[in-house]
Amino acid sequence: MTKRGAPRGNKNATGNKGGRAPAGNKNALGNKGGAAPVGNRNAVTTGEYESLYMDVLSDNEKEIYENLDTSSVFQIDENIRLLSIRERRMLMRLNEIVSGMTEKERAVVKELHKKKIPVKGRSNEKQLMIKQELLVETEVKEKEYRKIDDILKIEDALTRIQDKKLRAIKLKNELGLED
């Protein structure tokens, strides 16, 4: 069994008593309760479980909502169509990620540095040195990176969507609603 916590002698949290931020800290100003603002969509990754509420629907979506036909035939057909659109969007997202995959990503950091450059004059005069700012490459980082996690998430969600679509088609067939 491994011990929990930091290794013996670790000084990373020295002076940290836990709890609230120190007095005068403005980092979370306006953020009540430490949560994201209402309506924040940061957690929407695949769109499969996105929450929809009347107060956040656009005017166009509200109009569609109010004019929806609730008959079982229409609902099953609508469900199949929407699942097909969702499936297509997910496939497009997947294609976009796969096409943008790279084996290596390279980051080059360049900084302005002052450098003394000699200025040519007459041969019998003392050589002048002028300070000039030059853009110099200071750091090159190369890391291997693959977006495999994003691909796997979307593929899992896509499988669930396709399963829902298949169940809707089976339900339509069982109810004898086939055209």
Side-chain angles (χ1 to χ4, degrees):
M1 184 170 142
T2 59
K3 285 186 168 183
R4 293 180 58 188
R8 185 178 295 274
N10 184 302
K11 305 268 191 242
N12 290 349
T14 303
N16 183 1
K17 294 178 178 54
R20 296 180 159 275
N25 184 318
K26 306 270 191 239
N27 290 343
L29 194 63
N31 186 0
K32 300 215 184 294
V38 175
N40 183 296
R41 296 174 41 113
N42 289 349
V44 175
T45 55
T46 64
E48 182 183 11
Y49 298 108
E50 182 179 2
S51 297
L52 299 173
Y53 300 103
M54 281 300 289
D55 59 332
V56 293
L57 293 179
S58 68
D59 292 337
N60 191 23
E61 290 170 331
K62 286 178 184 175
E63 186 178 322
I64 292 168
Y65 177 82
E66 290 169 5
N67 295 324
L68 278 178
D69 183 357
T70 57
S71 68
S72 57
V73 176
F74 179 79
Q75 286 298 310
I76 293 172
D77 284 341
E78 180 87 2
N79 195 17
I80 292 169
R81 285 186 185 103
L82 289 175
L83 287 169
S84 296
I85 291 170
R86 185 170 282 179
E87 179 181 26
R88 183 177 180 280
R89 282 184 177 181
M90 292 169 96
L91 285 169
M92 287 172 57
R93 231 180 251 133
L94 193 60
N95 189 33
E96 189 178 302
I97 290 172
V98 170
S99 67
M101 283 177 62
T102 57
E103 291 295 323
K104 288 186 180 179
E105 288 186 1
R106 185 176 173 163
V108 178
V109 178
K110 293 183 177 183
E111 294 177 351
L112 282 174
H113 283 275
K114 290 183 180 178
K115 193 172 185 180
K116 289 184 179 179
I117 298 176
V119 177
K120 289 185 180 179
R122 290 186 212 139
S123 59
N124 59 354
E125 288 183 12
K126 191 168 100 175
Q127 199 172 28
L128 292 173
M129 301 295 273
I130 296 176
K131 286 184 181 179
Q132 187 176 12
E133 287 189 347
L134 298 172
L135 198 59
V136 179
E137 213 173 85
T138 57
E139 187 177 351
V140 177
K141 292 180 186 176
E142 223 174 67
K143 70 174 183 175
E144 290 189 26
Y145 179 72
R146 293 185 61 99
K147 298 177 181 178
I148 199 74
D149 290 338
D150 293 344
I151 291 170
L152 291 174
K153 280 182 197 173
I154 292 175
E155 283 180 346
D156 283 345
L158 186 59
T159 303
R160 289 189 295 272
I161 292 298
Q162 289 169 336
D163 186 50
K164 287 178 183 179
K165 182 179 170 183
L166 184 63
R167 280 187 269 150
I169 292 169
K170 282 182 182 178
L171 178 63
K172 183 176 180 179
N173 192 30
E174 287 171 7
L175 294 175
L177 303 174
E178 208 52 50
D179 296 331

